[in-house]
Every structure is written in structure tokens, then in C-alpha cells.
């Protein structure tokens, strides 16, 4: 028996004969790839009997269900808590994991049984929870050598003696990373793996950089074989793609079947296979689809690889090759253009690798904290990430995990949002409550297990009563969510203290910084989780009470601000915008801390900020010259880029230069360029998502009409797809004049539509405040010299 330390890469399980085996993939301190096999763990679940039931008789009935393939090895009575209340349950242990749901369905039918619990927790995840193991972190284990020859692609295989123990080491092993990207030949529109070859597979690895596998004209069998061989040789720990779970992997697997090529890139020689949350599992490696993290970059409306890479500074659009998908066959079939197509593929994979460098540090910390393996943590929704963390904490608290129940969506009243004082304001401080909702949940003990329904007596220890709505929560003992949140906030505080020991340039500092961000994201998501209808711990009253106390808290802070003579410009959820007066703001911060028990701090100071009369809609100039734009068309999805660009530029001119007339002249210049066909089509595309089947649309919207036109062209259109279209000249309805953007010529564009329905409406909302009419925007001369200073508050 020897002790080893390893970084936890992935977990799965297999059944050998009639023995389930947990497989843990790791990287040791001396940089060896290892597989640890635990043969001792067995699947189990709990049975909650009805009150007054004969337990020994129920035990016998359960044991009688035992089948030879996976016998029930024990049924024992144990003490647990269920929503905070003590209960006696039967723990049922069996052998083969996939027999658990079958037993659950049989036992559920027993009249003596109230509920069957924890029968839907996947076997490998159950192992992580019970031993409190942390994927993407360091662990220590006692092991013995496997001692048999295997074809598994690792340096060592061991049997492990449980328990494996997490250890706190702040570093990452030298991970072998590889990004990949495929290009398909698609002369008929959307490529089909039954028909269309994979003409380029581009890879970029931490060890070898760029490598491309290129088809011989339209013969791609060699491409697939070479790619598989290369992955096996490079042996990456992490494989990264962009939309690879939904496109690249399924396409390669289907294409491989067609050509008789096994895409056996896993460390056991297995092919990738679909798993939970829509992600693709590659055995022994972490397959990370970076698109999952890009989806959380809300500032980018159309999340193409080039748009995200451009926004995050990985690869500027003007420094890379851009080819429209419908033009790819032309580039492939033309020998003089093919080198440019290869450069396009290279730029794609280099961008993917660069995004991995941006997203992976956070993903690794999120994986470690939530307990979800690295390949799943991005694909899982925020609700699931919170839930897995709660399930780990429930195990430590001896709490049973509730079943997931299907519920219809229910809305509840949200946060307070004040009507802003419209106009231009100078020197505005934005005050933010630190983790307002988590702190409210802690202060008022808001949790599903502390909620007192209206028909229940008030407990002796007393209750907190939510303002406006009257929901009650017991004061003592501390609820499950309160304890979890206290742990998260305490951990974050510890991590931030630890960061002070290191230089901001050090790898330790960067790891800790990503960890504190992941802890913050998880704590802030806890409130929303209570109101998510898919939650195991769903509790609408808890979600409603949290926002009610939030509204009360911000109203009281506003009262304090007014008493101090601070002018309030705007308020939203957990933020107050006030005219900055250093002394008064410091007093307000102190009052909120002392009288309300909440921390509030200055988040940012705007040199100048502009509000329309609408809530959640403003633009502010920061001291470093950056402009914050919130809620305008500039960040919404149903406008062409030209509208966004013009609106942003108008705000920039107004806030930075203080000249309304300069802004008007700029808009007129854009209108002239539109009339003269000088604006590229790429800036005129409007993107809309197909949200249901085409036959379900009652009104023929432009994007629906364009989707039908694309189908007529032989292109594939599916629910969830973004349709890009432009409006062309002609008469009739808008839908009749909408065409796929890739079929339009600049001379066909209806400039009047873009002027009247895109550019002018986008800027009118800003310029109308300064008395500028639509008529003036279309005129050719400026009437008077107006500066911003005429409009200050």
C-alpha cells in the first residue's frame, strides 16, 4: 500500500461482471496520468415510510423484491432530517446502479411508503457526495498497483483503499490542453454527416501549437483517422471546442460510422458519448464546450466564436480571416482560395484555445466548489450548479435530498426599481449592497425548512415576518440555506484573505481570485434557486420573502440618504445612484451598516450619466473613459448592428464631448452613407431566434418568412436557431421583403427601412431629451450650437 497525491480530473463508473467499479482519473504530483479504481462502493437510496407503519414488515416486503442480477444486500433503519425535521427512513443498498430506478418504481407502489428519496442521484456523483471529493482539486489516497496488463492510456492503474481525502494545495498540475474545430463541405447548405465530408480538422495544443488535418478533395477518411491518432498521441487532459457538444462531436461520430472510422479518443479506447446536461463525455478526459461559458457573456448578442473572441480580446475580428458559411465550398473548391480557408480554420481553433485560457480558470474553480466534474459544470445550468452544492451540504447536515417535482412556472414580485431623474447628471456615485440577497436570507433565516405555512402555529422561538406579504420563517434553529450561505460567504472571506499573501501576478493569486469569483456567483444564485420551478428545494414563499425584505432594505437606505441631504437619482434592486458628496456618502455607508446590519459600498463613480425616463436604461461615462450602456437597444438582440453602433457613438459624443450638434451631424453622416450604399451588409443583419416549430407561428414575422425561404433553398432550420436577415427594397409587408442576409446585394437594401426603423428610433430615445426631432436628424444643416451644458441637472 502506498500513498499518492493526485489532481482529480474526472469520474465515471463501470460494471465488471456483477461488480460496480468507480473510476477516477487523475494527474499525480510527478505529472503522471493515473486511473484509480474503487471496488467497494455500492448504490443505495432511502424509503420514507408513512406514519404508524410496521417497519419490520415493510423491510421484509422490500427484501422480497430482490433479484439475482442485483440483490438487495441490506435494508436498515436510519435517522435523518427531512426539511429540518427528524425522520426515520430505510436505507436500501443494492449492487448494480441501473437497478436502483427499477427498485424505486416497485417500492413507490407500496401503500406503506410515503416517498422514495435519493434514487435519482447518479452513482458516480453519489460517490463524490459521500466522500466529499472535489473534482479539479488535489486529493490523497492509499493505493495498491492494479497488477494486470490493460489498454488504458494512463501511466499507472491502481486499486484505491477508501476514503480518498481532499487536500488543500493551491496550484494546478501542468494540464495538457487541446482545442479542436472542424470545417465541413456544405454545398447544399447545412452539412449532413451522411453526405458531407469533414474537410479540415484544426487542433491547437499546449505542447505543439497548431496542427491541421486536411481532406484529399472530398475524401475525409484519412482526416478522421489522423485526428484520432493525433489525439491519442498528444493524450490531452482537457479537450476544448466551441459548440462542440452540439455540432463537432456528433458530426465526427456520425461521419465516422459512415466511413468505418471509430472516433476512439477516450483513454479507454471508447468513443465520445452523450451524457447529462447535453454534454459529450470523453472517457478519462475533460471535454469542455466553451460555448457554455460564452452563453453567460450577456454583452454579446450573437455568440459566434469570432464575436466572443473579439469581445474578450482573444482575437480581434479585423485581424482574422472571416468567411461566411455559405461561401466555404467556393473556397475549398478553388485552389487559389484554399490557403485562405485553411487560415480561417486556424484562426477558429486559435480563438477557441484563447477562449479556453480565459474561461478555464473560472470553470476549474466552479467545478471544485460545486462538486460537478469539469466537463459537466459548464453544461449544467446555474440551478443545477447550486443544487449539486446543496446536495453535498445536505449530506454533511444529515439532510435528505428532496425529489425533483414537475411544476408549472409561477411568477412572484421582484426587486424595487425607481423611476430615474431623467437627464444628464455629473459626479454620480453608485452604491451597491454587498451580497444583498444572501445576507437577507442569513439575517431572516429564510430557507425551505424554516418556512411556517399559514395554517401552522407560531413556534415558541418566534418568527421573522416578511414585509408586505407576511410569510413567516422560524428564528431558530438556523435553516439549511442559512448555514450553507454562511459557509459560502465565510469561505469567500477566507479566500480573499489568503490572496493578500501573494503577488497579483502569481499563479496562486490568480487561482484564488477565480475561486472567490466562483463562490460569489454561487452565493448570489442561491436566492434565485428557491424560485426556480425545477429546484429540489423549491420554495416560492422563500423567494418572495427575500425580494420583499430587499425592497424594504433599499427603501430604508433611501430614507437615510434623504435625511443626510443626498440627492437620489436612481435605484435598482441592490444599488442606489446618488449625487456624490464624499462626507455624506461615508455617513450613509456607516448608517446602513449600523442600523440595517448590511454592508454597502461605492461600486463606481460616473463622471457623467444620462437617464431617459425609463427604468433600467442609462449610459454613464467612467473616469477611465469607458462608457457603460445599460438597457438601450445597444444591448438588445432585435436590432441591427448599425443601430447599436450609432446609438453607442451618439452616447459617446454626448458624454465625452458634450456636444449635441456633433452627435446630430454624426447621425446625418450615417444616414447619408446608408442612402449611398456605403454601409456593409454585415452591419444591417437583424438576428432573431426560431423559438418554436414554423407551423406553430400564427403571424408571419420576417425571421419566420426567411426561415421558410432557407428551407426552400435546401437549408436545414431547427428550433433554437438564430436567423439572420436583411430588409430589401420593394412593396408589401416587411416579411415579404426580408431575405437571408447571405443572398442580399448592397444595391437591394432598403435604406429607408434602416433609417426610419433602425437608426432614427435607436438615437431618438437619446436625442429627444435634448429637443432633437426626427425631422432635424434627416435635415442637412444644424440650426444652433447646443452643448450638453444647457441640459445639466
Amino acid at each position: 500500500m502506498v500513498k499518492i497525491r493526485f489532481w482529480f480530473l474526472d469520474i465515471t463508473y463501470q460494471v465488471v461482471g456483477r461488480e460496480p467499479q468507480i473510476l477516477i482519473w487523475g494527474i499525480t504530483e510527478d505529472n503522471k496520468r493515473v486511473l484509480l479504481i474503487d471496488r467497494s462502493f455500492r448504490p443505495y437510496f432511502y424509503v420514507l415510510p408513512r406514519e404508524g407503519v410496521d417497519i419490520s414488515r415493510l423491510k421484509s416486503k422490500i427484501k422480497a423484491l430482490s433479484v439475482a442480477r442485483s440483490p438487495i444486500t441490506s435494508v436498515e433503519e436510519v435517522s435523518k432530517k427531512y426539511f429540518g425535521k427528524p425522520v426515520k427512513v430505510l436505507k436500501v443498498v443494492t449492487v448494480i446502479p441501473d437497478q436502483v430506478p427499477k427498485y424505486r418504481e416497485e417500492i413507490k407502489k407500496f401503500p406503506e411508503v410515503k416517498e422514495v428519496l435519493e434514487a435519482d442521484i447518479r452513482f458516480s456523483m453519489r460517490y463524490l457526495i459521500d466522500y466529499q471529493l472535489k473534482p479539479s482539486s488535489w486529493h490523497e489516497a492509499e493505493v495498491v498497483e492494479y497488477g494486470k496488463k490493460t489498454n488504458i492510456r494512463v501511466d499507472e492503474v491502481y486499486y484505491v483503499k477508501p476514503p480518498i481525502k481532499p487536500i488543500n494545495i493551491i496550484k494546478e498540475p501542468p494540464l495538457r490542453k487541446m482545442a479542436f474545430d472542424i470545417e465541413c463541405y456544405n454545398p447544399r447548405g447545412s452539412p449532413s454527416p451522411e453526405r458531407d465530408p469533414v474537410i479540415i480538422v484544426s487542433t491547437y495544443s499546449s505542447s505543439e501549437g497548431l496542427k491541421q488535418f486536411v481532406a484529399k478533395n472530398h475524401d475525409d477518411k484519412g482526416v478522421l483517422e489522423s485526428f484520432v491518432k493525433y489525439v491519442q498521441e498528444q493524450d490531452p487532459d482537457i479537450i476544448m471546442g466551441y459548440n462542440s457538444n452540439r455540432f463537432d462531436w456528433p458530426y465526427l461520430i456520425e461521419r465516422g460510422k459512415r466511413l468505418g472510422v471509430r472516433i476512439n479518443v477516450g483513454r479507454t479506447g471508447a468513443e465520445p458519448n452523450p451524457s447529462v446536461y447535453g454534454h459529450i463525455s470523453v472517457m478519462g478526459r475533460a471535454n469542455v464546450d466553451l460555448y457554455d461559458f460564452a452563453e453567460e457573456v450577456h454583452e454579446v448578442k450573437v455568440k459566434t466564436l469570432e464575436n466572443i473572441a473579439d469581445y474578450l480580446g482573444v482575437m480581434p475580428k479585423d485581424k482574422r480571416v472571416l468567411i461566411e458559411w455559405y461561401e466555404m465550398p467556393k473556397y475549398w473548391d478553388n485552389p487559389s482560395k484554399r490557403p485562405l480557408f485553411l487560415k480561417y480554420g486556424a484562426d477558429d481553433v486559435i480563438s477557441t484555445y484563447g477562449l479556453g485560457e480565459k474561461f478555464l480558470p473560472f470553470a476549474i474553480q466552479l467545478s471544485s466548489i460545486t462538486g460537478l466534474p469539469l466537463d459537466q459544470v459548464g453544461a449544467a445550468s446555474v440551478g443545477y450548479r447550486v443544487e449539486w452544492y446543496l446536495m453535498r451540504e445536505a449530506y454533511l447536515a444529515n439532510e435528505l435530498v428532496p425529489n425533483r417535482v414537475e411544476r408549472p412556472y409561477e411568477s412572484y414580485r421582484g426587486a424595487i426599481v425607481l423611476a430615474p431623474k431623467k437627464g444628464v447628471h455629473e459626479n454620480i456615485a453608485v452604491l451597491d449592497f454587498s451580497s444583498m440577497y444572501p445576507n437577507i436570507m442569513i439575517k431572516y433565516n429564510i430557507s425551505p425548512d424554516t418556512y411556517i405555512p399559514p395554517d401552522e402555529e407560531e413556534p415558541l422561538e418566534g418568527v421573522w415576518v416578511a414585509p408586505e406579504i407576511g410569510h413567516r420563517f422560524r428564528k431558530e434553529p438556523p435553516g439549511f440555506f442559512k448555514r450553507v450561505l454562511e459557509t459560502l460567504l465565510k469561505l469567500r472571506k477566507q479566500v480573499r484573505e489568503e490572496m493578500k499573501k501573494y503577488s497579483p501576478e502569481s499563479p496562486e493569486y490568480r487561482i484564488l481570485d477565480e475561486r472567490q469569483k466562483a463562490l460569489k456567483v454561487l452565493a448570489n444564485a442561491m436566492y434565485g434557486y428557491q424560485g426556480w420551478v425545477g429546484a429540489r428545494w423549491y420554495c416560492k414563499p422563500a423567494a418572495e420573502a427575500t425580494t420583499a425584505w430587499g425592497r424594504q432594505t433599499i427603501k430604508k437606505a433611501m430614507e437615510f440618504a434623504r435625511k443626510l441631504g443626498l440627492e437620489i437619482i436612481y435605484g435598482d434592486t441592490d444599488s442606489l445612484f446618488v449625487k456624490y458628496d464624499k462626507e455624506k456618502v461615508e455617513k450613509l455607508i456607516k448608517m446602513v451598516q449600523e442600523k440595517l446590519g448590511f454592508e454597502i459600498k461605492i461600486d463606481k463613480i460616473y463622471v457623467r450619466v444620462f437617464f431617459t425616463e425609463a427604468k433600467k436604461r442609462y449610459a454613464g461615462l467612467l473616469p477611465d473613459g469607458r462608457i457603460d450602456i445599460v438597457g438601450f437597444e445597444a444591448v438588445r438582440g432585435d436590432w441591427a448592428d448599425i443601430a447599436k453602433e450609432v446609438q453607442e457613438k451618439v452616447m459617446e459624443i454626448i458624454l465625452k464631448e458634450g456636444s449635441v450638434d456633433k452627435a446630430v451631424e454624426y447621425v446625418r453622416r450615417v444616414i447619408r452613407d446608408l442612402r449611398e450604399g456605403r454601409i456593409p451588409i454585415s452591419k444591417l443583419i437583424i438576428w432573431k431566434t426560431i423559438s418554436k416549430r414554423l407551423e406553430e407561428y400564427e403571424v408571419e414575422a420576417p425571421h419566420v418568412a426567411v426561415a421558410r425561404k432557407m428551407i426552400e433553398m435546401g437549408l436545414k432550420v431547427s428550433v433554437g436557431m438564430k436567423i439572420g436577415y436583411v430588409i430589401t427594397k420593394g412593396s408589401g409587408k416587411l416579411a415579404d421583403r426580408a431575405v437571408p442576409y447571405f443572398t442580399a446585394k448592397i444595391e437591394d437594401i432598403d435604406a429607408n427601412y434602416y433609417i426610419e426603423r433602425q437608426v432614427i428610433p435607436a438615437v431618438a430615445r437619446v436625442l429627444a431629451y435634448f429637443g432633437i426631432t426626427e425631422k432635424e436628424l434627416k435635415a442637412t444643416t444644424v440650426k444652433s450650437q447646443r452643448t450638453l451644458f444647457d441640459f445639466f441637472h
Side-chain angles (χ1 to χ4, degrees):
M1 193 79 72
V2 291
K3 257 188 188 168
I4 63 162
R5 286 181 165 189
F6 70 96
W7 194 84
F8 196 125
L9 180 65
D10 197 15
I11 186 168
T12 184
Y13 78 91
Q14 64 184 10
V15 176
V16 178
R18 283 172 55 196
E19 179 183 76
Q21 299 181 350
I22 292 285
L23 307 179
I24 296 167
W25 307 85
I27 301 156
T28 63
E29 283 183 308
D30 54 356
N31 208 26
K32 285 183 175 172
R33 272 67 194 161
V34 293
L35 171 62
L36 279 63
I37 303 172
D38 188 342
R39 302 162 67 187
S40 66
F41 196 63
R42 295 293 177 264
Y44 66 87
F45 57 94
Y46 296 106
V47 176
L48 178 63
R50 295 189 186 278
E51 276 185 42
V53 161
D54 183 336
I55 296 295
S56 57
R57 189 167 172 277
L58 180 56
K59 274 187 182 181
S60 302
K61 272 184 85 171
I62 292 169
K63 282 178 185 168
L65 295 172
S66 193
V67 294
R69 179 178 169 269
S70 177
I72 290 172
T73 55
S74 77
V75 182
E76 60 170 320
E77 192 174 16
V78 293
S79 298
K80 302 288 277 185
K81 282 182 284 180
Y82 194 33
F83 287 102
K85 292 173 180 164
V87 289
K88 296 278 188 189
V89 288
L90 298 177
K91 182 180 180 181
V92 181
V93 183
T94 184
V95 179
I96 308 296
D98 68 13
Q99 187 63 32
V100 167
K102 294 172 185 171
Y103 282 138
R104 174 190 62 201
E105 293 309 308
E106 290 295 313
I107 294 168
K108 257 166 66 174
K109 295 173 191 169
F110 292 173
E112 305 94 324
V113 172
K114 192 174 180 183
E115 275 186 277
V116 180
L117 297 159
E118 303 197 15
D120 60 347
I121 299 174
R122 300 192 309 280
F123 185 55
S124 53
M125 294 301 289
R126 173 87 268 173
Y127 186 86
L128 290 179
I129 290 167
D130 287 19
Y131 287 123
Q132 294 289 297
L133 306 186
K134 296 180 177 182
S136 309
S137 305
W138 289 92
H139 295 74
E140 194 170 68
E142 285 192 2
V143 297
V144 291
E145 282 192 26
Y146 184 68
K148 301 175 203 168
K149 189 166 169 44
T150 78
N151 294 322
I152 299 167
R153 297 188 187 100
V154 289
D155 299 307
E156 301 286 351
V157 181
Y158 297 110
Y159 283 127
V160 66
K161 183 190 171 194
I164 297 170
K165 291 173 188 166
I167 47 176
N168 189 28
I169 298 177
I170 308 166
K171 67 169 185 179
E172 280 168 20
L175 293 163
R176 299 201 286 251
K177 292 175 276 192
M178 176 188 285
F180 83 106
D181 182 79
I182 70 171
E183 309 300 342
C184 305
Y185 187 68
N186 59 330
R188 299 173 191 85
S190 296
S192 159
E194 288 81 28
R195 175 187 68 208
D196 298 317
V198 177
I199 42 181
I200 307 169
V201 178
S202 305
T203 66
Y204 193 95
S205 65
S206 48
S207 55
E208 288 208 353
L210 177 71
K211 189 161 177 71
Q212 289 180 294
F213 305 96
V214 184
K216 290 175 182 167
N217 291 320
H218 303 116
D219 177 6
D220 59 338
K221 188 174 184 181
V223 174
L224 269 59
E225 288 171 339
S226 302
F227 169 65
V228 169
K229 186 167 181 274
Y230 186 68
V231 174
Q232 291 171 355
E233 286 167 358
Q234 289 296 299
D235 196 27
D237 304 307
I238 299 173
I239 301 183
M240 301 174 287
Y242 193 84
N243 203 30
S244 50
N245 283 335
R246 298 159 195 84
F247 180 73
D248 302 63
W249 284 123
Y251 201 98
L252 285 171
I253 293 160
E254 280 305 309
R255 189 71 190 149
K257 282 179 190 168
R258 180 89 181 161
L259 299 173
V261 178
R262 287 189 75 244
I263 311 298
N264 54 338
V265 292
R267 279 184 164 146
T268 59
E271 288 193 289
N273 64 289
S275 189
V276 289
Y277 313 123
H279 93 284
I280 300 284
S281 173
V282 179
M283 187 78 84
R285 311 187 197 282
N287 167 50
V288 178
D289 188 342
L290 300 166
Y291 181 80
D292 294 325
F293 294 97
E295 280 203 304
E296 293 170 30
V297 181
H298 302 298
E299 295 84 352
V300 180
K301 136 181 114 175
V302 181
K303 300 181 201 306
T304 58
L305 173 59
E306 59 267 21
N307 284 354
I308 293 284
D310 179 61
Y311 178 76
L312 294 175
V314 168
M315 186 179 285
K317 271 186 180 178
D318 57 3
K319 297 280 195 301
R320 61 154 298 160
V321 174
L322 290 170
I323 298 173
E324 294 287 4
W325 60 269
Y326 55 87
E327 290 194 321
M328 289 176 181
K330 294 179 203 167
Y331 278 79
W332 180 253
D333 291 333
N334 184 334
S336 64
K337 284 186 169 184
R338 197 179 281 189
L340 202 59
F341 190 26
L342 284 163
K343 176 73 168 63
Y344 167 81
D347 287 348
D348 267 4
V349 81
I350 292 164
S351 295
T352 302
Y353 192 88
L355 288 181
E357 296 293 276
K358 293 272 184 187
F359 289 134
L360 271 179
F362 176 73
I364 284 168
Q365 294 307 317
L366 199 57
S367 164
S368 171
I369 290 161
T370 58
L372 273 165
L374 184 56
D375 63 341
Q376 295 175 31
V377 77
S381 69
V382 175
Y384 283 121
R385 293 172 193 169
V386 168
E387 194 156 88
W388 282 112
Y389 183 81
L390 287 171
M391 285 158 81
R392 294 169 71 86
E393 292 295 309
Y395 180 83
L396 292 176
N398 202 35
E399 275 276 349
L400 288 163
V401 173
N403 287 322
R404 184 165 284 112
V405 178
E406 281 197 25
R407 304 178 184 88
Y409 174 72
E410 291 183 284
S411 62
Y412 56 90
R413 195 173 160 204
I416 195 168
V417 185
L418 296 180
K421 288 188 177 177
K422 69 175 186 172
V424 182
H425 306 270
E426 281 204 309
N427 196 26
I428 299 298
V430 182
L431 296 169
D432 255 12
F433 280 90
S434 305
S435 304
M436 181 200 252
Y437 285 157
N439 281 313
I440 283 172
M441 290 170 70
I442 289 169
K443 182 173 180 178
Y444 299 109
N445 202 21
I446 300 171
S447 184
D449 53 319
T450 60
Y451 171 61
I452 310 291
D455 57 348
E456 274 189 28
E457 290 280 310
E458 186 175 307
L460 292 171
E461 61 270 19
V463 292
W464 296 107
V465 182
E468 302 170 38
I469 48 176
H471 295 323
R472 300 174 304 156
F473 298 85
R474 69 174 72 240
K475 288 187 173 180
E476 293 292 339
F480 177 46
F481 276 42
K482 175 178 177 170
R483 297 195 307 273
V484 168
L485 281 165
E486 282 177 334
T487 303
L488 282 169
L489 297 184
K490 185 178 160 196
L491 279 172
R492 185 167 180 239
K493 201 172 178 183
Q494 285 171 356
V495 170
R496 293 177 84 170
E497 281 301 309
E498 187 75 14
M499 283 167 71
K500 292 173 185 172
K501 299 178 188 174
Y502 301 97
S503 149
E505 281 73 47
S506 68
E508 289 89 353
Y509 184 94
R510 287 197 294 273
I511 288 168
L512 290 167
D513 191 31
E514 296 296 343
R515 188 175 297 177
Q516 69 89 11
K517 281 184 208 163
L519 286 162
K520 181 183 178 181
V521 164
L522 208 58
N524 287 339
M526 205 71 78
Y527 136 74
Y529 172 81
Q530 302 172 108
W532 172 46
V533 290
R536 292 176 186 270
W537 280 276
Y538 175 74
C539 185
K540 186 186 171 191
E544 286 179 324
T546 308
T547 54
W549 264 302
R551 291 191 296 273
Q552 184 192 66
T553 304
I554 205 150
K555 280 177 190 169
K556 285 184 176 173
M558 284 157 57
E559 281 171 27
F560 298 161
R562 288 190 186 108
K563 278 179 188 167
L564 289 166
L566 278 167
E567 184 188 356
I568 299 168
I569 308 300
Y570 180 57
D572 181 1
T573 310
D574 57 357
S575 302
L576 277 181
F577 290 58
V578 298
K579 193 87 177 164
Y580 185 47
D581 176 319
K582 190 171 185 288
E583 194 181 322
K584 287 177 182 175
V585 165
E586 282 173 0
K587 278 184 184 172
L588 176 62
I589 288 169
K590 199 175 174 193
M591 280 176 83
V592 168
Q593 176 76 56
E594 288 173 1
K595 296 190 177 182
L596 300 181
F598 290 103
E599 188 187 330
I600 192 170
K601 61 182 189 304
I602 296 172
D603 180 46
K604 58 183 87 162
I605 294 174
Y606 287 120
V607 175
R608 208 169 283 143
V609 66
F610 167 67
F611 281 99
T612 68
E613 71 289 345
K615 295 174 180 181
K616 293 182 180 286
R617 192 173 283 179
Y618 59 90
L621 173 65
L622 294 161
D624 62 4
R626 286 181 299 123
I627 289 184
D628 260 354
I629 296 179
V630 176
F632 282 95
E633 285 73 21
V635 289
R636 279 188 22 216
D638 48 0
W639 292 75
D641 274 357
I642 189 68
K644 172 184 171 181
E645 188 181 290
V646 175
Q647 193 186 64
E648 282 181 344
K649 186 69 180 170
V650 161
M651 288 178 179
E652 188 181 322
I653 294 167
I654 283 174
L655 291 171
K656 283 187 176 176
E657 298 183 43
S659 172
V660 179
D661 292 328
K662 267 192 184 177
V664 171
E665 183 44 47
Y666 162 71
V667 175
R668 288 176 179 163
R669 213 164 45 243
V670 172
I671 288 172
R672 275 198 305 275
D673 287 346
L674 269 165
R675 291 197 198 284
E676 291 164 21
R678 288 204 293 266
I679 303 287
I681 280 178
S682 61
K683 289 186 180 180
L684 306 177
I685 303 167
I686 300 159
W687 294 92
K688 290 281 278 184
T689 302
I690 296 292
S691 56
K692 52 191 174 186
R693 297 203 314 275
L694 294 186
E695 56 269 27
E696 291 174 21
Y697 281 96
E698 290 172 22
V699 179
E700 190 78 331
H703 71 298
V704 177
V706 169
R708 295 193 203 282
K709 287 170 189 171
M710 287 168 68
I711 289 168
E712 282 167 22
M713 292 163 64
L715 305 180
K716 194 175 169 187
V717 173
S718 54
V719 175
M721 189 172 172
K722 277 191 164 61
I723 302 291
Y725 66 90
V726 291
I727 303 298
T728 55
K729 293 170 188 165
S731 58
K733 293 185 302 189
L734 212 55
D736 299 334
R737 296 188 285 122
V739 300
Y741 71 90
F742 50 86
T743 65
K745 295 184 176 69
I746 197 71
E747 58 268 25
D748 300 328
I749 294 296
D750 183 353
N752 280 331
Y753 166 81
Y754 285 94
I755 293 162
E756 302 284 348
R757 303 276 289 274
Q758 290 276 331
V759 171
I760 286 179
V763 296
R765 304 197 177 183
V766 180
L767 293 174
Y769 172 75
F770 303 101
I772 305 297
T773 63
E774 292 187 13
K775 193 175 173 184
E776 276 183 85
L777 288 171
K778 295 178 207 169
T780 51
T781 55
V782 179
K783 283 183 185 172
S784 62
Q785 291 298 309
R786 288 156 298 191
T787 71
L788 196 59
F789 304 103
D790 302 324
F791 301 93
F792 273 145
H793 283 263

